[in-house]
Short mmCIF file of all heavy atoms in Angstrom, two decimals:
data_model
loop_
_atom_site.label_atom_id
_atom_site.label_comp_id
_atom_site.label_asym_id
_atom_site.label_seq_id
_atom_site.Cartn_x
_atom_site.Cartn_y
_atom_site.Cartn_z
N LYS L 12 -1.08 -32.45 -16.76
CA LYS L 12 -0.62 -32.88 -18.08
C LYS L 12 -0.96 -31.87 -19.17
O LYS L 12 -1.40 -32.21 -20.27
CB LYS L 12 -1.23 -34.25 -18.45
CG LYS L 12 -0.95 -35.36 -17.47
CD LYS L 12 0.54 -35.72 -17.44
CE LYS L 12 0.79 -36.89 -16.51
NZ LYS L 12 2.23 -37.23 -16.42
N LEU L 13 -0.74 -30.60 -18.87
CA LEU L 13 -1.06 -29.54 -19.82
C LEU L 13 0.13 -29.26 -20.72
O LEU L 13 1.28 -29.55 -20.39
CB LEU L 13 -1.46 -28.26 -19.07
CG LEU L 13 -2.72 -28.39 -18.20
CD1 LEU L 13 -2.92 -27.13 -17.37
CD2 LEU L 13 -3.95 -28.66 -19.05
N ASP L 14 -0.14 -28.65 -21.87
CA ASP L 14 0.90 -28.31 -22.83
C ASP L 14 1.78 -27.18 -22.28
O ASP L 14 1.34 -26.37 -21.46
CB ASP L 14 0.24 -27.85 -24.15
CG ASP L 14 1.26 -27.69 -25.25
OD1 ASP L 14 1.56 -28.68 -25.95
OD2 ASP L 14 1.75 -26.56 -25.42
N GLU L 15 3.04 -27.12 -22.74
CA GLU L 15 3.95 -26.05 -22.31
C GLU L 15 3.39 -24.67 -22.60
O GLU L 15 3.62 -23.72 -21.85
CB GLU L 15 5.32 -26.19 -23.00
CG GLU L 15 6.13 -27.41 -22.57
CD GLU L 15 5.88 -28.61 -23.47
OE1 GLU L 15 4.86 -28.61 -24.20
OE2 GLU L 15 6.70 -29.55 -23.44
N TYR L 16 2.62 -24.55 -23.69
CA TYR L 16 2.05 -23.26 -24.05
C TYR L 16 1.04 -22.78 -23.01
O TYR L 16 0.94 -21.58 -22.73
CB TYR L 16 1.38 -23.33 -25.42
CG TYR L 16 2.36 -23.27 -26.58
CD1 TYR L 16 2.36 -24.25 -27.57
CD2 TYR L 16 3.30 -22.24 -26.67
CE1 TYR L 16 3.25 -24.20 -28.62
CE2 TYR L 16 4.19 -22.19 -27.72
CZ TYR L 16 4.17 -23.17 -28.70
OH TYR L 16 5.06 -23.12 -29.74
N VAL L 17 0.28 -23.70 -22.44
CA VAL L 17 -0.69 -23.33 -21.40
C VAL L 17 0.04 -22.77 -20.19
O VAL L 17 -0.35 -21.74 -19.62
CB VAL L 17 -1.55 -24.55 -20.98
CG1 VAL L 17 -2.51 -24.15 -19.86
CG2 VAL L 17 -2.32 -25.08 -22.17
N TYR L 18 1.12 -23.43 -19.82
CA TYR L 18 1.94 -22.93 -18.72
C TYR L 18 2.54 -21.57 -19.08
O TYR L 18 2.59 -20.65 -18.24
CB TYR L 18 3.04 -23.93 -18.41
CG TYR L 18 3.98 -23.49 -17.31
CD1 TYR L 18 3.52 -23.36 -16.00
CD2 TYR L 18 5.31 -23.21 -17.57
CE1 TYR L 18 4.37 -22.96 -14.99
CE2 TYR L 18 6.17 -22.81 -16.56
CZ TYR L 18 5.70 -22.68 -15.28
OH TYR L 18 6.54 -22.28 -14.29
N GLY L 19 2.97 -21.42 -20.32
CA GLY L 19 3.51 -20.14 -20.76
C GLY L 19 2.48 -19.04 -20.72
O GLY L 19 2.78 -17.90 -20.33
N VAL L 20 1.24 -19.35 -21.10
CA VAL L 20 0.15 -18.36 -21.05
C VAL L 20 -0.11 -17.93 -19.61
O VAL L 20 -0.30 -16.74 -19.32
CB VAL L 20 -1.14 -18.94 -21.68
CG1 VAL L 20 -2.33 -18.03 -21.39
CG2 VAL L 20 -0.96 -19.10 -23.18
N TYR L 21 -0.12 -18.90 -18.71
CA TYR L 21 -0.31 -18.60 -17.27
C TYR L 21 0.76 -17.64 -16.78
O TYR L 21 0.45 -16.62 -16.13
CB TYR L 21 -0.28 -19.91 -16.48
CG TYR L 21 0.14 -19.78 -15.04
CD1 TYR L 21 -0.67 -19.13 -14.11
CD2 TYR L 21 1.36 -20.32 -14.60
CE1 TYR L 21 -0.28 -19.02 -12.78
CE2 TYR L 21 1.75 -20.22 -13.28
CZ TYR L 21 0.93 -19.57 -12.37
OH TYR L 21 1.32 -19.46 -11.07
N ARG L 22 2.02 -17.91 -17.10
CA ARG L 22 3.10 -17.03 -16.68
C ARG L 22 2.99 -15.65 -17.33
O ARG L 22 3.31 -14.63 -16.73
CB ARG L 22 4.46 -17.66 -17.02
CG ARG L 22 4.84 -18.82 -16.12
CD ARG L 22 4.96 -18.39 -14.69
NE ARG L 22 5.39 -19.47 -13.81
CZ ARG L 22 5.32 -19.44 -12.50
NH1 ARG L 22 4.80 -18.38 -11.89
NH2 ARG L 22 5.73 -20.45 -11.77
N THR L 23 2.53 -15.62 -18.57
CA THR L 23 2.39 -14.35 -19.27
C THR L 23 1.30 -13.49 -18.64
O THR L 23 1.47 -12.28 -18.46
CB THR L 23 2.06 -14.60 -20.76
OG1 THR L 23 3.13 -15.35 -21.36
CG2 THR L 23 1.88 -13.28 -21.50
N ILE L 24 0.18 -14.10 -18.30
CA ILE L 24 -0.93 -13.35 -17.68
C ILE L 24 -0.50 -12.75 -16.34
O ILE L 24 -0.74 -11.57 -16.07
CB ILE L 24 -2.16 -14.25 -17.50
CG1 ILE L 24 -2.75 -14.60 -18.86
CG2 ILE L 24 -3.22 -13.55 -16.63
CD1 ILE L 24 -3.86 -15.63 -18.79
N THR L 25 0.14 -13.56 -15.52
CA THR L 25 0.58 -13.04 -14.22
C THR L 25 1.63 -11.94 -14.40
O THR L 25 1.69 -11.00 -13.60
CB THR L 25 1.17 -14.16 -13.35
OG1 THR L 25 2.22 -14.83 -14.05
CG2 THR L 25 0.08 -15.17 -12.99
N SER L 26 2.41 -12.04 -15.46
CA SER L 26 3.42 -11.02 -15.72
C SER L 26 2.81 -9.71 -16.18
O SER L 26 3.35 -8.63 -15.91
CB SER L 26 4.42 -11.53 -16.76
OG SER L 26 5.05 -12.70 -16.31
N LEU L 27 1.70 -9.78 -16.90
CA LEU L 27 1.01 -8.56 -17.32
C LEU L 27 0.58 -7.73 -16.11
O LEU L 27 0.59 -6.50 -16.15
CB LEU L 27 -0.20 -8.92 -18.19
CG LEU L 27 0.08 -9.34 -19.63
CD1 LEU L 27 -1.17 -9.88 -20.29
CD2 LEU L 27 0.63 -8.16 -20.44
N VAL L 28 0.21 -8.42 -15.06
CA VAL L 28 -0.13 -7.73 -13.82
C VAL L 28 1.09 -6.98 -13.29
O VAL L 28 0.98 -5.85 -12.79
CB VAL L 28 -0.66 -8.73 -12.76
CG1 VAL L 28 -0.93 -8.04 -11.43
CG2 VAL L 28 -1.91 -9.42 -13.27
N SER L 29 2.26 -7.60 -13.43
CA SER L 29 3.49 -6.97 -12.95
C SER L 29 3.82 -5.69 -13.71
O SER L 29 4.47 -4.79 -13.18
CB SER L 29 4.67 -7.96 -13.08
OG SER L 29 4.43 -9.12 -12.34
N ILE L 30 3.37 -5.60 -14.96
CA ILE L 30 3.63 -4.40 -15.76
C ILE L 30 2.71 -3.26 -15.35
O ILE L 30 3.13 -2.11 -15.24
CB ILE L 30 3.44 -4.70 -17.27
CG1 ILE L 30 4.53 -5.65 -17.75
CG2 ILE L 30 3.48 -3.42 -18.08
CD1 ILE L 30 4.41 -6.01 -19.21
N THR L 31 1.46 -3.58 -15.11
CA THR L 31 0.47 -2.53 -14.84
C THR L 31 0.50 -2.01 -13.41
O THR L 31 0.10 -0.87 -13.15
CB THR L 31 -0.95 -3.05 -15.14
OG1 THR L 31 -1.19 -4.23 -14.36
CG2 THR L 31 -1.09 -3.41 -16.61
N LEU L 32 0.99 -2.80 -12.49
CA LEU L 32 0.89 -2.44 -11.07
C LEU L 32 1.84 -1.34 -10.58
O LEU L 32 1.43 -0.50 -9.79
CB LEU L 32 1.11 -3.68 -10.20
CG LEU L 32 -0.13 -4.50 -9.86
CD1 LEU L 32 0.26 -5.68 -8.99
CD2 LEU L 32 -1.16 -3.66 -9.15
N PRO L 33 3.13 -1.31 -10.98
CA PRO L 33 4.09 -0.44 -10.30
C PRO L 33 3.67 1.01 -10.13
O PRO L 33 3.78 1.56 -9.03
CB PRO L 33 5.34 -0.57 -11.18
CG PRO L 33 5.25 -1.91 -11.76
CD PRO L 33 3.79 -2.14 -12.01
N PHE L 34 3.18 1.64 -11.19
CA PHE L 34 2.85 3.06 -11.08
C PHE L 34 1.49 3.27 -10.41
O PHE L 34 1.23 4.32 -9.85
CB PHE L 34 2.90 3.71 -12.46
CG PHE L 34 4.28 3.70 -13.04
CD1 PHE L 34 4.58 2.92 -14.14
CD2 PHE L 34 5.30 4.43 -12.46
CE1 PHE L 34 5.86 2.88 -14.67
CE2 PHE L 34 6.58 4.40 -12.97
CZ PHE L 34 6.86 3.62 -14.07
N ILE L 35 0.65 2.25 -10.45
CA ILE L 35 -0.62 2.33 -9.74
C ILE L 35 -0.39 2.32 -8.24
O ILE L 35 -1.04 3.05 -7.48
CB ILE L 35 -1.54 1.15 -10.15
CG1 ILE L 35 -1.89 1.24 -11.64
CG2 ILE L 35 -2.82 1.13 -9.30
CD1 ILE L 35 -2.67 0.04 -12.16
N ILE L 36 0.56 1.50 -7.81
CA ILE L 36 0.79 1.33 -6.37
C ILE L 36 1.86 2.27 -5.82
O ILE L 36 2.09 2.28 -4.61
CB ILE L 36 1.21 -0.12 -6.06
CG1 ILE L 36 2.54 -0.44 -6.72
CG2 ILE L 36 0.13 -1.10 -6.46
CD1 ILE L 36 3.09 -1.80 -6.35
N LEU L 37 2.49 3.09 -6.66
CA LEU L 37 3.55 3.98 -6.18
C LEU L 37 3.07 4.90 -5.06
O LEU L 37 3.79 5.10 -4.08
CB LEU L 37 4.13 4.79 -7.34
CG LEU L 37 5.43 5.55 -7.06
CD1 LEU L 37 6.51 4.61 -6.52
CD2 LEU L 37 5.93 6.26 -8.31
N PRO L 38 1.85 5.48 -5.15
CA PRO L 38 1.36 6.28 -4.02
C PRO L 38 1.26 5.48 -2.72
O PRO L 38 1.48 6.01 -1.64
CB PRO L 38 -0.02 6.74 -4.49
CG PRO L 38 0.05 6.70 -5.98
CD PRO L 38 0.92 5.52 -6.29
N VAL L 39 0.92 4.19 -2.84
CA VAL L 39 0.84 3.33 -1.65
C VAL L 39 2.22 3.15 -1.04
O VAL L 39 2.39 3.19 0.18
CB VAL L 39 0.24 1.95 -2.02
CG1 VAL L 39 0.26 1.01 -0.82
CG2 VAL L 39 -1.16 2.11 -2.56
N VAL L 40 3.22 2.96 -1.91
CA VAL L 40 4.60 2.78 -1.44
C VAL L 40 5.07 4.02 -0.68
O VAL L 40 5.74 3.92 0.35
CB VAL L 40 5.54 2.48 -2.63
CG1 VAL L 40 6.99 2.46 -2.18
CG2 VAL L 40 5.16 1.16 -3.27
N LYS L 41 4.72 5.19 -1.19
CA LYS L 41 5.16 6.44 -0.55
C LYS L 41 4.38 6.73 0.73
O LYS L 41 4.88 7.40 1.63
CB LYS L 41 5.01 7.61 -1.54
CG LYS L 41 5.98 7.54 -2.71
CD LYS L 41 5.86 8.77 -3.59
CE LYS L 41 6.91 8.76 -4.70
NZ LYS L 41 6.86 9.97 -5.55
N LYS L 42 3.15 6.21 0.80
CA LYS L 42 2.28 6.51 1.95
C LYS L 42 2.57 5.61 3.15
O LYS L 42 2.57 6.07 4.30
CB LYS L 42 0.81 6.37 1.53
CG LYS L 42 -0.17 6.73 2.63
CD LYS L 42 -1.61 6.63 2.13
CE LYS L 42 -2.60 6.99 3.24
NZ LYS L 42 -4.02 6.88 2.76
N PHE L 43 2.80 4.31 2.90
CA PHE L 43 2.96 3.35 3.99
C PHE L 43 4.43 2.98 4.19
O PHE L 43 5.19 2.87 3.22
CB PHE L 43 2.14 2.09 3.71
CG PHE L 43 0.66 2.32 3.70
CD1 PHE L 43 -0.03 2.40 2.50
CD2 PHE L 43 -0.04 2.47 4.89
CE1 PHE L 43 -1.40 2.63 2.48
CE2 PHE L 43 -1.41 2.70 4.88
CZ PHE L 43 -2.09 2.78 3.68
N LYS L 44 4.78 2.74 5.43
CA LYS L 44 6.14 2.33 5.74
C LYS L 44 6.34 0.85 5.36
O LYS L 44 5.39 0.07 5.36
CB LYS L 44 6.41 2.53 7.22
CG LYS L 44 6.45 4.00 7.62
CD LYS L 44 6.78 4.17 9.09
CE LYS L 44 6.86 5.64 9.46
NZ LYS L 44 7.18 5.85 10.90
N PRO L 45 7.59 0.47 5.04
CA PRO L 45 7.86 -0.92 4.62
C PRO L 45 7.38 -1.96 5.64
O PRO L 45 6.92 -3.02 5.25
CB PRO L 45 9.38 -0.94 4.47
CG PRO L 45 9.77 0.46 4.21
CD PRO L 45 8.80 1.31 4.98
N LEU L 46 7.48 -1.66 6.93
CA LEU L 46 7.09 -2.63 7.95
C LEU L 46 5.60 -2.96 7.86
O LEU L 46 5.20 -4.12 7.99
CB LEU L 46 7.43 -2.11 9.34
CG LEU L 46 7.19 -3.07 10.51
CD1 LEU L 46 7.97 -4.37 10.31
CD2 LEU L 46 7.57 -2.41 11.83
N LYS L 47 4.78 -1.95 7.62
CA LYS L 47 3.34 -2.18 7.49
C LYS L 47 3.03 -3.00 6.25
O LYS L 47 2.16 -3.88 6.26
CB LYS L 47 2.60 -0.85 7.44
CG LYS L 47 1.08 -0.97 7.56
CD LYS L 47 0.42 0.36 7.83
CE LYS L 47 -1.07 0.19 8.10
NZ LYS L 47 -1.72 1.49 8.43
N LEU L 48 3.75 -2.73 5.18
CA LEU L 48 3.56 -3.49 3.94
C LEU L 48 3.99 -4.95 4.13
O LEU L 48 3.40 -5.86 3.54
CB LEU L 48 4.36 -2.85 2.81
CG LEU L 48 3.89 -1.45 2.36
CD1 LEU L 48 4.87 -0.87 1.34
CD2 LEU L 48 2.49 -1.51 1.76
N LEU L 49 5.02 -5.18 4.94
CA LEU L 49 5.48 -6.54 5.23
C LEU L 49 4.41 -7.33 5.98
O LEU L 49 4.16 -8.50 5.68
CB LEU L 49 6.78 -6.51 6.03
CG LEU L 49 7.40 -7.85 6.40
CD1 LEU L 49 7.75 -8.66 5.16
CD2 LEU L 49 8.65 -7.65 7.26
N LYS L 50 3.76 -6.69 6.93
CA LYS L 50 2.68 -7.35 7.68
C LYS L 50 1.53 -7.75 6.75
O LYS L 50 1.03 -8.88 6.80
CB LYS L 50 2.14 -6.42 8.77
CG LYS L 50 3.13 -6.10 9.88
CD LYS L 50 2.54 -5.09 10.85
CE LYS L 50 3.54 -4.69 11.93
NZ LYS L 50 3.00 -3.64 12.83
N TYR L 51 1.13 -6.81 5.89
CA TYR L 51 0.04 -7.08 4.97
C TYR L 51 0.40 -8.20 4.00
O TYR L 51 -0.40 -9.09 3.72
CB TYR L 51 -0.31 -5.80 4.19
CG TYR L 51 -1.20 -6.04 3.00
CD1 TYR L 51 -2.56 -6.31 3.17
CD2 TYR L 51 -0.68 -6.03 1.71
CE1 TYR L 51 -3.37 -6.55 2.07
CE2 TYR L 51 -1.49 -6.26 0.61
CZ TYR L 51 -2.84 -6.52 0.80
OH TYR L 51 -3.64 -6.77 -0.29
N ALA L 52 1.64 -8.16 3.48
CA ALA L 52 2.07 -9.15 2.49
C ALA L 52 2.06 -10.56 3.07
O ALA L 52 1.65 -11.52 2.40
CB ALA L 52 3.46 -8.80 1.96
N SER L 53 2.49 -10.72 4.32
CA SER L 53 2.56 -12.06 4.91
C SER L 53 1.17 -12.69 5.01
O SER L 53 0.99 -13.87 4.69
CB SER L 53 3.22 -12.01 6.29
OG SER L 53 2.41 -11.32 7.22
N LEU L 54 0.18 -11.92 5.44
CA LEU L 54 -1.19 -12.43 5.54
C LEU L 54 -1.78 -12.72 4.16
O LEU L 54 -2.43 -13.75 3.95
CB LEU L 54 -2.08 -11.43 6.28
CG LEU L 54 -1.98 -11.42 7.80
CD1 LEU L 54 -2.90 -10.34 8.37
CD2 LEU L 54 -2.32 -12.77 8.39
N SER L 55 -1.58 -11.79 3.24
CA SER L 55 -2.14 -11.94 1.90
C SER L 55 -1.55 -13.13 1.16
O SER L 55 -2.27 -13.92 0.53
CB SER L 55 -1.91 -10.65 1.10
OG SER L 55 -2.43 -10.77 -0.20
N ILE L 56 -0.23 -13.30 1.23
CA ILE L 56 0.44 -14.43 0.56
C ILE L 56 -0.05 -15.75 1.13
O ILE L 56 -0.36 -16.69 0.38
CB ILE L 56 1.97 -14.31 0.70
CG1 ILE L 56 2.50 -13.12 -0.09
CG2 ILE L 56 2.65 -15.59 0.20
CD1 ILE L 56 3.95 -12.78 0.20
N ALA L 57 -0.14 -15.84 2.47
CA ALA L 57 -0.59 -17.08 3.11
C ALA L 57 -2.00 -17.45 2.66
O ALA L 57 -2.28 -18.61 2.35
CB ALA L 57 -0.53 -16.92 4.63
N THR L 58 -2.89 -16.45 2.61
CA THR L 58 -4.28 -16.70 2.21
C THR L 58 -4.37 -17.17 0.76
O THR L 58 -5.06 -18.14 0.44
CB THR L 58 -5.13 -15.43 2.40
OG1 THR L 58 -5.06 -15.01 3.76
CG2 THR L 58 -6.58 -15.68 2.03
N CYS L 59 -3.65 -16.48 -0.12
CA CYS L 59 -3.71 -16.82 -1.55
C CYS L 59 -3.10 -18.19 -1.84
O CYS L 59 -3.60 -18.94 -2.69
CB CYS L 59 -3.03 -15.74 -2.38
SG CYS L 59 -3.92 -14.18 -2.43
#
C-alpha cells in the first residue's frame, strides 16, 4: 500500500544502474562470448 511516488523512486534507482553500467561492462562484453554470459545470467537472475 505504498504511494505511487515510492514505486517511481524504486524504478528510478534501478534505472540509474542501467545508465552507469553499459560502458563499465563493455570490456566484459568484448571478452566473453554470448553463450557464457547467458549461463551466468540464468543463475544470477534465479538467485536474485
Side-chain angles (χ1 to χ4, degrees):
K12 303 294 183 183
L13 298 173
D14 189 87
E15 292 92 343
Y16 281 126
V17 177
Y18 178 66
V20 169
Y21 154 68
R22 286 299 183 194
T23 300
I24 292 172
T25 55
S26 301
L27 284 171
V28 176
S29 301
I30 292 179
T31 57
L32 272 180
F34 295 112
I35 297 174
I36 64 174
L37 192 55
V39 175
V40 173
K41 292 184 175 182
K42 183 178 180 180
F43 295 102
K44 292 183 178 180
L46 185 57
K47 190 167 186 177
L48 293 174
L49 180 60
K50 294 176 183 176
Y51 167 75
S53 67
L54 281 179
S55 179
I56 292 169
T58 302
C59 290

